[in-house]
Amino acid sequence: DTAVSQTPKYLVTQMGNDKSIKCEQNLGHDTMYWYKQDSKKFLKIMFSYNNKELIINETVPNRFSPKSPDKAHLNLHINSLELGDSAVYFCASSQVAAPTDTQYFGPGTRLTVL
Amino acid sequence: TQLLEQSPQFLSIQEGENLTVYCNSSSVFSSLQWYRQEPGEGPVLLVTVVTGGEVKKLKRLTFQFGDARKDSSLHITAAQPGDTGLYLCAGAMGRGADGLTFGKGTHLIIQP
């Protein structure tokens, strides 16, 4: 009964490739997020979606394209991967888009670009 | 410019000692959340503080939100090896859908 799940857990790929990371939440939440955690463990918001609509895009290159087919899913597609994209990507969700809401994080996807 | 300054970045102490982690900002936050992250897993919420001056206790952990809602602290009493981990403070501003602004984290090691 995993709350927020991501696949794959690990992703190793060559520069220039295109890859996708999938995220699903079974909590019935309205809002989903993507965060990037760098090698120093710093977490930074990338995108947020509320009811399948994009709310914020925090200066992320347009090689990154999130897609929300329904409220329970927020997938991340990355085109033309670069070395600097190597990081751990976390999906999260919250019940509503309130600043006091708990965000539930997935287990992360470790992306390594060679 | 780092919006949330978290310190110390690394802390290694003996079992039984007390410690405090600080999270400071020049910005006002609607809420301040503390997370703990284990290796290979996502952050897990410990507590959310909302009101200026608020103090919340979770067993040996005490969380405080500054009166001006710009800073917060996490105090652990009588630390145990099981407290070892990465502690992250995160602030929410305005709309929750803007996502959380994280501090750089505190890597805590409690030696037996």
Side-chain angles (χ1 to χ4, degrees):
Chain A
D1 56 345
T2 307
V4 182
S5 59
Q6 293 178 230
T7 54
K9 176 81 171 167
Y10 300 96
L11 186 51
V12 181
T13 187
Q14 299 284 339
M15 255 179 20
N17 284 349
D18 303 339
K19 290 292 177 187
S20 291
I21 306 172
K22 295 188 175 181
C23 177
E24 177 180 1
Q25 53 96 1
N26 62 5
L27 298 167
H29 287 171
D30 286 344
T31 309
M32 296 184 73
Y33 312 81
W34 276 108
Y35 288 85
K36 179 180 179 179
Q37 188 171 45
D38 63 22
S39 58
K40 296 188 176 179
K41 303 294 186 186
F42 180 51
L43 266 162
K44 192 166 165 32
I45 182 73
M46 298 173 69
F47 301 100
S48 73
Y49 268 70
N50 185 252
N51 277 316
K52 301 194 301 174
E53 290 194 17
L54 177 67
I55 302 298
I56 62 162
N57 173 344
E58 280 293 314
T59 61
V60 179
N62 57 16
R63 297 183 296 104
F64 290 78
S65 52
K67 286 205 170 38
S68 183
D70 55 59
K71 266 181 24 173
H73 295 85
L74 182 62
N75 304 321
L76 184 64
H77 188 75
I78 315 169
N79 288 329
S80 303
L81 278 155
E82 300 177 358
L83 293 177
D85 297 332
S86 295
V88 181
Y89 292 85
F90 286 98
C91 176
S93 73
S94 62
Q95 188 163 8
V96 293
T100 55
D101 252 12
T102 300
Q103 291 193 17
Y104 294 84
F105 285 79
T109 295
R110 181 176 291 277
L111 172 65
T112 303
V113 182
L114 304 174
Chain B
T1 304
Q2 177 63 23
L3 203 53
L4 261 177
E5 297 287 346
Q6 188 173 343
S7 64
Q9 200 171 345
F10 297 95
L11 184 58
S12 178
I13 61 173
Q14 293 294 123
E15 181 177 1
E17 293 183 20
N18 302 332
L19 67 107
T20 303
V21 178
Y22 299 94
C23 203
N24 297 303
S25 176
S26 57
S27 301
V28 176
F29 290 99
S30 302
S31 74
L32 206 296
Q33 303 181 11
W34 285 90
Y35 287 81
R36 178 173 164 173
Q37 185 178 11
E38 301 295 336
E41 296 179 13
V44 175
L45 181 73
L46 294 173
V47 80
T48 300
V49 285
V50 178
T51 308
E54 184 176 3
V55 177
K56 279 191 174 177
K57 292 197 175 200
L58 193 66
K59 297 182 182 177
R60 293 176 294 101
L61 277 61
T62 302
F63 303 86
Q64 188 160 5
F65 203 10
D67 291 340
R69 303 200 336 264
K70 293 182 180 181
D71 54 84
S72 182
S73 63
L74 156 61
H75 183 79
I76 301 179
T77 304
Q80 298 177 1
D83 296 328
T84 294
L86 175 65
Y87 290 82
L88 299 159
C89 65
M93 303 171 87
R95 302 181 307 172
D98 289 345
L100 295 170
T101 298
F102 279 86
K104 290 196 171 182
T106 296
H107 295 262
L108 177 63
I109 297 173
I110 310 300
Q111 299 176 25

